[in-house]
Amino acid sequence: AQSVAQPEDQVNVAEGNPLTVKCTYSVSGNPYLFWYVQYPNRGLQFLLKYITGDNLVKGSYGFEAEFNKSQTSFHLKKPSALVSDSALYFCAVSPGTGANNLFFGTGTRLTVIP
Amino acid sequence: NAGVTQTPKFRILKIGQSMTLQCTQDMNHNYMYWYRQDPGMGLKLIYYSVGAGITDKGEVPNGYNVSRSTTEDFPLRLELAAPSQTSVYFCASSYRDSGTDTQYFGPGTRLTVL
């Protein structure tokens, strides 16, 4: 069975500091991993994904994520947080192709403190 | 492109009433999805469609129905609304299947059943 864990409900970080939002996954085959961000009263927006290739994936708004197969993790990172990064972040995993194959974590609320 | 649009934005229903949530996309995507998002939970897939005339159940289909008569539209029907259906509903679409392709989300419909 596929599952995603986001162990932190809330992450607080000072503006200008690096941020990390954690994600671990469990999947039966090769994982395909996604990060989405949700701003208040908005739908989810795609940030980045890992399908294959380089373990370090760069995405929108200066975010990046590192795929670590041995630790089954896909943590989201940014070198310098902005107040505008404050939002709800979702990690999602898929074991492969298929329209009903994307499973979401419960989300992590990131607050960047000015 | 407007992307994925949903109507209405908000709705309050009484127990036993019915309604249809509308979803339209103008990106010529083959795949469309309906999710619900409950507080503190990740998104759960209700129904999905891989093309006009083809729909299938997701993880939580009970109490809902869908149809896909055109590529653009994917309405979600609630029959006999129950308090357990109080949630935020998101429609999404992707060009290919969700296993590897990016999903694009609408702004959501906040439904309250009293």
Side-chain angles (χ1 to χ4, degrees), chain A residues 36 38 43 49 90 94 96 99 105, chain B residues 33 37 42 90 97-100 103 106:
Chain A
Y36 285 86
Q38 184 179 29
K49 66 182 176 183
F90 289 96
S94 166
Chain B
Y33 316 84
Q37 183 184 29
F90 289 103
D97 64 69
S98 67
T100 55
Q103 290 191 34

Side-chain angles (χ1 to χ4, degrees), chain B residues 34-97:
Chain B
W34 274 106
Y35 293 91
R36 59 177 288 171
Q37 183 184 29
D38 298 325
M41 305 290 288
L43 278 69
K44 301 287 187 183
L45 183 65
I46 304 171
Y47 270 95
Y48 66 97
S49 169
V50 302
I54 306 170
T55 63
D56 207 346
K57 296 177 181 179
E59 189 178 357
V60 289
N62 291 345
Y64 307 94
N65 279 300
V66 293
S67 59
R68 183 100 181 267
S69 56
T70 66
T71 299
E72 294 79 19
D73 300 306
F74 190 41
L76 177 71
R77 178 82 177 161
L78 277 72
E79 306 281 3
L80 300 174
S84 61
Q85 293 178 305
T86 294
S87 189
V88 181
Y89 291 84
F90 289 103
C91 180
S93 71
S94 63
Y95 183 63
R96 294 181 298 270
D97 64 69

